[in-house]
C-alpha cells in the first residue's frame, strides 16, 4: 500500500502536464497569431498612401461646408431685411415689439434681436442684451459686421436700416450666434471642422474650442492658409495622421461674405484605403480565430479534460483499495464506458472484500468452538 501511495503524486503530475499541454500550445498559437497581425498591421500603416481622389474628395466636402456657412450668413441678412420691410409698414414703435419677438422665436440662430432709432435708442427688443455700440453709425444699406466678441461668444451683428411713420429712421439689428453654424458641418462627418477668421482665430467648430484662439496645431494653421489638401503626419504615429483641407467662405458678387475659412481634418484611419481594409480584415480574422480557439479549449476542458481528471481520481482511489464510494456514470460515450467498467471493478472488489471479511470472522469463531 505504501508503494502505491508513494507513486500517486508522480502519476498526478504526469496527468497535470498532459492536461495543461494543449492549453499552453493554444496560448502560444494565439500569441503567435496576434504578433503576426500586429506586425502586419504596422507594415500596412507605415506604407499607407492616400490617393489623390481621396484628397480631392475631402477638399470638395470642405468647400461645400464653406459654401454652407456663406449661405447661412446670407440667409440671415435676407431674413433681417424682410423683417425691416415689415417694420416699415408700421407707424407705431410700440407695435415693433411683437414683430421682433415673433422673428426671434421663428429663427433660433439669433441671440438677440432689437430695433434702434436715429439716436441709437432701443425701441423694441427680444432675447439677450442689445449692443448698439456694435452697429455702424447711420448705415445706408443692410449688411453684417465681422465676428465680434459679445459675452465671450463669437457673434456676427447683422443690420438693416428702414423708415417708418413720418419718415423716421431706424435700424433692425440681429446678433447671429456663430455656435449655430454647427449645422453647416453635417456633411463633413467624421471629420472635425473649424471656422477661422482672417487672423486664423477660431469662431466655431464641431469639437471643443476656445473662441478667438488660433488653431491648436501648426499643421492646421498652415493648411488654413492654402486651398490644397495635405496629409498631416502629426506626431508621427499612425493614429495621428490626418487629411487636412481648407476652403474660403467668401464668394463672388455683391455680397462675398466675410473673409473666413473652413478647415477640416479627418483621420486617415477612417478612410477605406486598400491598406486599412487589409489591416481591418486581418484584425477581424485574428478576433474570429481567438474566439473559436477559446471556445474549442473551453469545450475540450468541460467535455473531456475535467471528466477525465475525475475518472482518474476514481481509478486511483479504487486502485488504493478505497471501494466505499460509487463511481458515478454520467455519460454514454467512451468515458462513460470506462466509468461503467471501473464501477464493475469496484463492485467486484467490494464484494470480494466483504466475503474475505466474513470469512475472517467465521474462522476464529469455529476454532474457538473446537477448543475443549
Amino acid at each position: 500500500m505504501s508503494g502505491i501511495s508513494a507513486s500517486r503524486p508522480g502519476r498526478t503530475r504526469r496527468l497535470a502536464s498532459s492536461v495543461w499541454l494543449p492549453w499552453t500550445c493554444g496560448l502560444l498559437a494565439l500569441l503567435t497569431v496576434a504578433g503576426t497581425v500586429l506586425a502586419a498591421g504596422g507594415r500596412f500603416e507605415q506604407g499607407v498612401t492616400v490617393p489623390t481622389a481621396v484628397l480631392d474628395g475631402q477638399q470638395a466636402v470642405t468647400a461645400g461646408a464653406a459654401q454652407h456657412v456663406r449661405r447661412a450668413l446670407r440667409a440671415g441678412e435676407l431674413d433681417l431685411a424682410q423683417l425691416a420691410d415689415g417694420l416699415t409698414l408700421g407707424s407705431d414703435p410700440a407695435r415693433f415689439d411683437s414683430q421682433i419677438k415673433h422673428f426671434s422665436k421663428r429663427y433660433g440662430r439669433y441671440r438677440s434681436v432689437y430695433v434702434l432709432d436715429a439716436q441709437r435708442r432701443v425701441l423694441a427688443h427680444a432675447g439677450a442684451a442689445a449692443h448698439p455700440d456694435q452697429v455702424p453709425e447711420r448705415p445706408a444699406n443692410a449688411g453684417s459686421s465681422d465676428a465680434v466678441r459679445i459675452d465671450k461668444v463669437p457673434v456676427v451683428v447683422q443690420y438693416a436700416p428702414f423708415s417708418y411713420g413720418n419718415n423716421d429712421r431706424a435700424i433692425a439689428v440681429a446678433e447671429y450666434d456663430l455656435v449655430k453654424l454647427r449645422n453647416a458641418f453635417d456633411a463633413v462627418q467624421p471629420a472635425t471642422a473649424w471656422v477661422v477668421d482672417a487672423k486664423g482665430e477660431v469662431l466655431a467648430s464641431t469639437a471643443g474650442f476656445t473662441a478667438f484662439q488660433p488653431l491648436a496645431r501648426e499643421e492646421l494653421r498652415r493648411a488654413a492658409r492654402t486651398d490644397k489638401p495635405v496629409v498631416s503626419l502629426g506626431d508621427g504615429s499612425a493614429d495621428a495622421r490626418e487629411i487636412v483641407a481648407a476652403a474660403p467662405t467668401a464668394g463672388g458678387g455683391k455680397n462675398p461674405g466675410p473673409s473666413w475659412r473652413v478647415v477640416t481634418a479627418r483621420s486617415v484611419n477612417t478612410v477605406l484605403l486598400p491598406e486599412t481594409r487589409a489591416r481591418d480584415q486581418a484584425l477581424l480574422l485574428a478576433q474570429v480565430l481567438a474566439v473559436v480557439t477559446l471556445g474549442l479549449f473551453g469545450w475540450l476542458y468541460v467535455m473531456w479534460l475535467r471528466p477525465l481528471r475525475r475518472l482518474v481520481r476514481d481509478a486511483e482511489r479504487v486502485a488504493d483499495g478505497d471501494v466505499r464510494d460509487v463511481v458515478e456514470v454520467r455519460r454514454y460515450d467512451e468515458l462513460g464506458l470506462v466509468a461503467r467498467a471501473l464501477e464493475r471493478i469496484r463492485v467486484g472488489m467490494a464484494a470480494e472484500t466483504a466475503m474475505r471479511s466474513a470469512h475472517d470472522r467465521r474462522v476464529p469463531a469455529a476454532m474457538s468452538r473446537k477448543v475443549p
Side-chain angles (χ1 to χ4, degrees), residues 122-286:
V122 178
L123 300 180
H125 172 256
H131 296 84
D133 57 305
Q134 300 294 338
V135 182
E137 293 282 349
R138 299 181 181 276
N141 301 305
S144 299
S145 72
D146 202 346
V148 296
R149 185 192 300 269
I150 296 179
D151 297 334
K152 300 181 180 180
V153 176
V155 173
V156 168
V157 179
Q158 299 179 333
Y159 46 86
F162 66 95
S163 300
Y164 71 97
N166 297 323
N167 203 27
D168 292 324
R169 300 290 295 174
I171 308 173
V173 184
E175 297 178 0
Y176 196 117
D177 188 351
L178 294 183
V179 175
K180 306 299 182 180
L181 289 176
R182 288 179 60 95
N183 296 330
F185 304 124
D186 292 339
V188 306
Q189 299 297 332
T192 303
W194 299 266
V195 178
V196 298
D197 60 14
K199 296 182 290 185
E201 297 175 345
V202 180
L203 304 177
S205 175
T206 57
F209 71 100
T210 302
F212 297 101
Q213 292 295 316
L215 291 167
R217 302 195 302 277
E218 176 59 31
E219 294 90 347
L220 297 178
R221 293 192 290 270
R222 186 165 53 249
R225 298 189 290 268
T226 179
D227 295 337
K228 184 178 180 180
V230 298
V231 177
S232 167
L233 297 180
D235 58 5
S237 63
D239 294 336
R241 278 179 265 196
E242 296 177 318
I243 304 172
V244 183
T249 61
K254 297 181 179 179
N255 297 283
S259 299
W260 299 347
R261 296 180 73 80
V262 172
V263 182
T264 63
R266 180 179 182 180
S267 173
V268 172
N269 291 334
T270 64
V271 182
L272 292 178
L273 304 176
E275 293 87 351
T276 56
R277 281 200 299 268
R279 180 204 60 192
D280 293 342
Q281 291 172 357
L283 291 176
L284 179 61
L285 177 61

